[in-house]
Amino acid sequence: MPPIDQGTILPNLLFGVLAVGIGIVVVLRRRSLFRSTVRDLKVVSRVASRAVGRSSSPLWVGAAGAVFIGVGLLMIGAALAGLVQLAA
């Protein structure tokens, strides 16, 4: 494994925890987030709102939250690997 720059340990840890937290909230609140997105699009364009409402679902909002969780876990893993390299 290539050496991890010690200047990236703290940002990876902070933003990784933040990404996991945001991802969990998005997964848990996916239905209300989807409804509010479709509702807010009605202000801009009713046609766009109907198109988004028909072609997508809360499942995709949950998938985006799961991606956030995955990226956050990768960042936390990189921070922990950097700490292990720093300690060695």
Side-chain angles (χ1 to χ4, degrees):
M1 184 162 141
I4 296 175
D5 183 24
Q6 59 183 333
T8 64
I9 294 172
L10 186 60
N12 271 338
L13 188 61
L14 293 175
F15 288 118
V17 170
L18 185 66
V20 169
I22 289 172
I24 290 171
V25 170
V26 168
V27 168
L28 294 176
R29 308 279 300 170
R30 66 186 176 272
R31 286 184 186 90
S32 61
L33 287 170
F34 177 74
R35 281 194 304 263
S36 66
T37 301
V38 172
R39 187 175 347 114
D40 288 343
L41 278 176
K42 286 182 183 175
V43 173
V44 177
S45 169
R46 292 189 191 278
V47 175
S49 175
R50 280 191 297 256
V52 168
R54 267 185 279 130
S55 64
S56 62
S57 70
L59 173 72
W60 296 110
V61 177
V67 169
F68 262 85
I69 292 170
V71 168
L73 291 175
L74 285 174
M75 292 174 75
I76 292 170
L80 292 177
L83 284 173
V84 168
Q85 286 180 359
L86 188 64

